[in-house]
Amino acid sequence: MTKDNTFLYFIGTAGSGKSRLTGSMKTWYTQHGLDAITVNLDPGAEKLPYEPDIDVREWIRISEVMEEYGLGPNGAQIACADMVAFNLNEIKERLEEYKADAVLVDTPGQLELFVFRESGKFIVESLNPERSLVAYLMDPFLARTASGFVSQMMLSATTRFRLMLPMANILSKSDLLKESELGTILNWSAEPDLLCDAVMDEEPSMQREFSIDTARLLSEIGAQSRLITASAETMKGLEDIYVHLQNQFAGGEDVRSD
């Protein structure tokens, strides 16, 4: 690992498509003559849609932790999250074997295991934080309603606050949305007032009132940003993620060979 490595952390709620986008991003880099390596930090992953170059399961597996310590699935996941941090030196040693344009990091399925525990922050701070960016994946189905979109934005803002890294908000699996749904979500991300109006148009409830206040707060602190629409299936938006990464750390330089 060198100081020139850029780290891209794929973070999001369970089912948001982190692993598939990690694998597709690696394919995109390869197709454009760039070197990227994938790192799996999820010790509970049963199957992955890509072959990780570095896999934490070489050292830690949830099934083995459950058996050794007599823990249930939830307790084992928490224990494993901390064990990953304890085994960080092994991961660093493996990273030293590679010189790549990007290090694509697939984080645990449960967002809270990486974002809200100190071990996740420790990992980020130990692996070249000056050249690290979070790709926060928003679940398209949760984002189809105004209040659901607000909750996704709140989790994104919380992730940024916890990890203190620059961030790109990614609407993953965008190919599964209707054009009208996609347009509405993009308008919400670009115009905070439209989002607030849409929340206010929902049926009166405690959730609506909370979402209105949250949407206003997110707007005031500048937490809303342009969404990158992406799809691991169609490869849509992957170039936009690359451009965002280059703008952040390379002054927008395009180092592709094509």
Side-chain angles (χ1 to χ4, degrees), residues 14-246:
S16 59
K18 297 183 290 295
S19 294
R20 289 198 175 277
L21 198 57
T22 299
S24 292
M25 199 74 206
K26 169 69 178 290
T27 299
W28 187 92
Y29 266 82
T30 301
Q31 290 175 345
H32 290 83
L34 300 171
D35 292 323
I37 63 171
T38 53
V39 179
N40 171 47
L41 290 185
D42 188 354
E46 294 184 3
K47 291 192 299 183
L48 290 171
Y50 63 94
E51 187 66 33
D53 297 296
I54 301 174
D55 193 345
V56 74
R57 295 175 300 178
E58 294 180 20
W59 304 283
I60 308 162
R61 285 184 178 270
I62 278 185
S63 57
E64 295 173 359
V65 171
M66 289 174 62
E67 182 177 351
E68 182 175 352
Y69 296 99
L71 297 172
N74 291 334
Q77 286 177 340
I78 292 172
C80 284
D82 295 335
M83 288 179 181
V84 173
F86 289 136
N87 284 269
L88 196 58
N89 283 335
E90 284 85 350
I91 295 173
K92 283 183 176 181
E93 288 176 3
R94 290 291 304 279
L95 284 167
E96 294 289 347
E97 301 173 9
Y98 296 92
K99 180 175 175 54
D101 297 295
V103 179
L104 311 175
V105 185
D106 188 7
T107 62
Q110 290 75 18
L111 172 146
E112 62 273 16
L113 294 175
F114 192 80
V115 173
F116 295 114
R117 295 193 66 78
E118 287 302 313
S119 54
K121 189 173 183 180
F122 173 77
I123 290 170
V124 166
E125 290 176 347
S126 301
L127 298 177
N128 212 4
E130 292 80 10
R131 294 183 62 84
S132 294
L133 184 139
V134 169
Y136 185 85
L137 273 59
M138 295 189 176
D139 188 312
F141 298 110
L142 296 178
R144 285 187 298 183
T145 65
S147 58
F149 183 76
V150 169
S151 68
Q152 294 276 288
M153 289 299 301
M154 182 175 65
L155 280 173
S156 169
T158 303
T159 298
R160 185 170 187 175
F161 173 75
R162 284 284 301 164
L163 300 180
M164 299 301 291
L165 292 177
M167 177 179 290
N169 283 321
I170 315 294
L171 185 65
S172 66
K173 303 179 182 179
S174 61
D175 57 301
L176 300 181
L177 292 172
K178 299 177 182 177
E179 285 297 323
S180 58
E181 293 173 328
L182 182 57
T184 296
I185 293 171
L186 290 176
N187 286 336
W188 287 341
S189 71
E191 299 289 342
D193 289 342
L194 288 179
L195 177 59
C196 288
D197 290 343
V199 175
M200 293 180 70
D201 287 340
E202 294 181 347
E203 289 294 322
S205 65
M206 183 178 297
Q207 180 186 18
R208 187 190 76 164
E209 297 308 309
F210 177 78
S211 295
I212 290 172
D213 291 340
T214 302
R216 288 171 177 164
L217 174 62
L218 292 172
S219 177
E220 288 174 4
I221 64 176
Q224 285 186 259
S225 63
R226 182 181 71 88
L227 275 179
I228 296 175
T229 57
S231 167
E233 297 298 321
T234 67
M235 308 290 276
K236 173 186 176 182
L238 302 196
E239 181 170 358
D240 294 331
I241 297 174
Y242 165 78
V243 169
H244 192 97
L245 195 64
Q246 291 302 103

Side-chain angles (χ1 to χ4, degrees), residues 1-14:
M1 181 178 67
T2 71
K3 291 184 178 180
D4 293 330
N5 288 124
T6 53
F7 283 73
L8 183 60
Y9 293 87
F10 291 94
I11 296 176
T13 54

